Amino acid sequence: MTVVHLPKSAVLSSYARHLMTKQQEKEAKSARGFGSDDSSKTAKSTVGPVDDSSSLKAGQDITIPQLEDYCDDFTADIKNKLATLTLSHETYSEALNNREVYLKHPPVFSHKLEIDAPITNQRNSGRCWIFAGLNMLRQHMMKEYNLDELELSQPFVFFYDKLEKSNWFLENILKTLDEDLDGRVVQFLLTNPVQVGGQWDMFVALVEKYGIVPKEAYPETVHTSSSGQMDWLITTKLREYAKEIRAEHANGKSIDELRKMKDRMLREIHKVVSVSLGQPPKTIDWSFYSKDKKFHEFRDVTPLEFYRNHVKQDCTKFVSLINDPRNEYMKKYTVDYLGNVYGAESVHYINLSVQRLKDYAIRVLKAGRPVWFGCDVGKFLSRSHGMMDTKVIDYKSAFDFDFGMTKAERLQYGDSLMTHAMVLTGVHIEDGKAVRWRVENSYGESYGNKGYLTMTDRWFDEFVYQIVLEKSDLPKEVLDVLDQEAVVLPPWDPMGALAK
């Protein structure tokens, strides 16, 4: 806790102010131009009414007397001047860095994956969910082929995601033709037609349909690394297409005729993505040197063959576990209208307590395997120290207040949701309990601790919402939940948030 020693004069002034009688306070306020009956009359056009006891009434507007009272309270505490001088030149995360937290939690872990794969960089794009998925999958390949480094092509998955999401949007427009344009569902669909970001099951749908290739077979372009302009163009065209489809429906066009229109529209979207990113390869040649300097080569391999025969992990055998304390645990959930590939398995989750998520994740990490997870990354994050902790930014010392909402309440009141996906690659355990977690991010090596973050266990409790594990890592009682009929959450539910 920061201790500020006030000058003696400031202490006496504050103490004297505290001891003022009601009459003295009334007289003092009157001298400043408000509070007495006479002054309230003269200032009638600019201030709200003040009662005879001079206490300020709470009302709809902010009154001048209120504002002056706020200012007096602010200037009476010299600590506020110190905070102002500091925070006018520094961000909260830098100026209020809690040194005790990152000294207590060094980037050292009792259990860490054997392989440290090169850190990747999604740059200015909403592709973290793709990066996290491919970064998780490459660990097995690096062991299998004895590699020092390997990066799988995020642009390849990204290309098909843009095309599939465009189709997904247009199909949902066809599905809602008879709903009111101003209704909540249609307006929700129009808010983000191209759906920047994604979730695990959306990643699975893409790799199962199109496969995977190495990064060198389909590298970055300007518009994969900074996708804003392309996203804007696709978004604008999709909204225009939605208008055309609804108008032609109103004119009596059949669903078959409307789908012919959709085909023309998707052809245009395909052109946008192909021009911006380049067309993905149909086959690839993969050659490399292993750690023992041996040369390896595989020729004329399709992306699906590369996924099946070289990645060698079946993504359909993984399951998403969420921690949503608003809703009942040991239940299966889905979100209406959430997805990207028509015909793929729907997005679904098993809702469990956060302790279960942690227990299962620890077992997998101890077994030497990484864990994909989704969280609200911007909350209580020190970028310079690569630390995520609920106390790492000391807001209390600067502003003299704490935060009072629970995890469930933050979800209910729109203060938190999943915003980012990363990979757990280690955990530090003391006395049988997790203390901190090692996180592989996709923001480049200059971010955090050479690209890695340290997440404390209490931060996990509050801001981790989803982990992905193989079904074989879960007990039967959890797997049996998958046989339930899913509870359908509305499209705007925070569990449907897309990691970016």
Side-chain angles (χ1 to χ4, degrees):
M1 178 178 179
T2 304
V3 179
V4 178
H5 296 284
L6 301 178
K8 185 176 181 181
S9 59
V11 175
L12 292 174
S13 175
S14 178
Y15 185 63
R17 176 183 171 83
H18 176 70
L19 293 179
M20 287 174 70
T21 64
K22 288 185 178 180
Q23 183 60 34
Q24 287 172 321
E25 185 173 358
K26 181 178 179 180
E27 291 172 358
K29 289 182 177 180
S30 178
R32 296 198 303 266
F34 68 97
S36 69
D37 292 341
D38 291 339
S39 63
S40 65
K41 291 177 183 178
T42 58
K44 187 174 182 180
S45 62
T46 58
V47 299
V50 181
D51 66 16
D52 290 339
S53 66
S54 80
S55 62
L56 299 177
K57 290 184 176 179
Q60 290 181 317
D61 60 333
I62 297 176
T63 66
I64 299 302
Q66 275 181 283
L67 187 57
E68 291 186 357
D69 204 45
Y70 298 164
C71 292
D72 288 345
D73 284 343
F74 182 82
T75 55
D77 189 346
I78 196 171
K79 188 179 75 171
N80 290 331
K81 184 175 182 180
L82 176 62
T84 302
L85 290 171
T86 302
L87 293 177
S88 62
H89 299 287
E90 286 283 2
T91 63
Y92 295 161
S93 59
E94 289 300 316
L96 305 179
N97 244 316
N98 189 340
R99 187 169 180 262
E100 294 178 1
V101 170
Y102 53 82
L103 289 180
K104 183 179 179 181
H105 295 286
V108 178
F109 303 88
S110 57
H111 300 83
K112 185 173 79 71
L113 298 189
E114 179 183 345
I115 295 175
D116 274 345
I119 290 295
T120 54
N121 194 340
Q122 69 182 79
R123 302 190 186 278
N124 189 22
S125 67
R127 298 179 292 162
C128 69
W129 57 290
I130 298 174
F131 273 73
L134 295 176
N135 287 347
M136 184 186 79
L137 295 178
R138 68 176 172 169
Q139 283 273 342
H140 176 78
M141 290 185 69
M142 292 178 73
K143 288 181 181 179
E144 176 83 10
Y145 291 103
N146 193 27
L147 300 174
D148 274 323
E149 58 183 37
L150 172 68
E151 188 168 356
L152 301 173
S153 177
Q154 308 89 5
F156 180 84
V157 181
F158 189 60
F159 178 98
Y160 291 111
D161 181 58
K162 292 302 176 186
L163 188 61
E164 289 285 357
K165 280 177 177 171
S166 297
N167 181 61
W168 181 270
F169 169 77
L170 293 174
E171 280 297 317
N172 283 330
I173 291 300
L174 291 171
K175 183 179 177 181
T176 56
L177 285 172
D178 295 322
E179 295 199 23
D180 188 351
L181 174 61
D182 294 326
R184 189 170 185 183
V185 171
V186 176
Q187 285 301 308
F188 174 83
L189 294 173
L190 292 170
T191 299
N192 185 17
V194 77
Q195 297 186 78
V196 176
Q199 293 200 6
W200 169 258
D201 285 335
M202 297 163 77
F203 172 78
V204 175
L206 292 166
V207 300
E208 284 292 316
K209 184 172 182 177
Y210 296 106
I212 294 173
V213 300
K215 187 68 169 272
E216 58 266 26
Y218 192 68
E220 301 282 347
T221 72
V222 168
H223 295 288
T224 58
S225 298
S226 182
S227 60
Q229 287 184 320
M230 183 180 68
D231 288 336
W232 167 82
L233 182 57
I234 296 173
T235 295
T236 297
K237 292 303 294 182
L238 288 176
R239 288 173 178 153
E240 182 180 299
Y241 299 154
K243 177 193 73 69
E244 291 180 33
I245 289 173
R246 288 179 67 92
E248 290 303 316
H249 171 67
N251 290 334
K253 286 280 181 73
S254 69
I255 191 68
D256 288 337
E257 291 174 309
L258 295 176
R259 281 214 165 87
K260 287 180 181 178
M261 291 174 58
K262 189 193 80 165
D263 181 67
R264 183 259 303 170
M265 295 165 178
L266 287 175
R267 192 178 301 273
E268 292 180 352
I269 296 297
H270 180 268
K271 180 184 290 186
V272 170
V273 182
S274 295
V275 168
S276 303
L277 310 186
Q279 292 203 64
K282 299 296 188 293
T283 61
I284 63 160
D285 296 334
W286 184 40
S287 57
F288 59 91
Y289 290 101
S290 55
K291 288 182 184 179
D292 55 9
K293 309 302 181 183
K294 292 182 179 179
F295 176 76
H296 303 266
E297 185 177 38
F298 301 91
R299 299 184 62 81
D300 200 28
V301 180
T302 70
L304 276 172
E305 288 172 343
F306 185 83
Y307 170 51
R308 305 290 185 203
N309 301 331
H310 297 287
V311 177
K312 293 183 180 178
Q313 291 191 83
D314 185 351
C315 288
T316 64
K317 293 183 178 180
F318 288 77
V319 61
S320 292
L321 310 176
I322 60 170
N323 175 238
D324 178 5
R326 302 169 306 159
N327 291 308
E328 188 177 353
Y329 294 146
M330 294 296 288
K331 293 288 184 181
K332 181 180 176 182
Y333 293 88
T334 188
V335 179
D336 208 7
Y337 292 96
L338 179 63
N340 57 346
V341 178
Y342 254 86
E345 187 173 356
S346 63
V347 175
H348 59 269
Y349 329 93
I350 300 174
N351 193 23
L352 300 173
S353 69
V354 73
Q355 189 58 52
R356 281 205 182 211
L357 263 62
K358 293 191 293 186
D359 289 344
Y360 298 148
I362 289 171
R363 291 180 198 171
V364 172
L365 290 169
K366 284 183 174 180
R369 290 178 282 123
V371 177
W372 188 105
F373 80 104
C375 65
D376 190 355
V377 73
K379 295 290 194 295
F380 303 95
L381 165 69
S382 171
R383 297 183 180 186
S384 58
H385 290 90
M387 174 66 64
M388 296 184 290
D389 178 75
T390 57
K391 300 295 183 182
V392 73
I393 303 175
D394 189 1
Y395 292 103
K396 176 73 172 177
S397 292
F399 302 106
D400 200 27
F401 58 63
D402 290 310
F403 299 93
M405 285 195 288
T406 64
K407 189 174 190 177
E409 290 165 344
R410 285 191 293 271
L411 288 167
Q412 290 167 333
Y413 284 86
D415 189 62
S416 185
L417 42 67
M418 184 178 71
T419 60
H420 192 52
M422 299 179 282
V423 180
L424 295 174
T425 62
V427 62
H428 185 69
I429 297 175
E430 294 179 1
D431 300 323
K433 294 182 180 181
V435 175
R436 57 183 174 267
W437 303 74
R438 187 174 189 251
V439 176
E440 178 187 343
N441 200 2
S442 55
Y443 288 166
E445 290 189 354
S446 62
Y447 194 100
N449 181 24
K450 297 181 180 179
Y452 288 89
L453 300 173
T454 299
M455 173 177 65
T456 63
D457 195 60
R458 62 187 177 187
W459 196 97
F460 190 123
D461 289 342
E462 299 297 330
F463 298 110
V464 169
Y465 290 105
Q466 182 178 9
I467 68 170
V468 171
L469 301 177
E470 292 186 60
K471 294 177 183 178
S472 58
D473 294 317
L474 300 171
K476 183 178 182 300
E477 62 174 343
V478 173
L479 292 177
D480 286 345
V481 175
L482 293 173
D483 297 328
Q484 297 178 7
E485 184 176 347
V487 177
V488 181
L489 301 173
W492 41 84
D493 190 270
M495 287 300 110
L498 302 180
K500 301 175 183 179

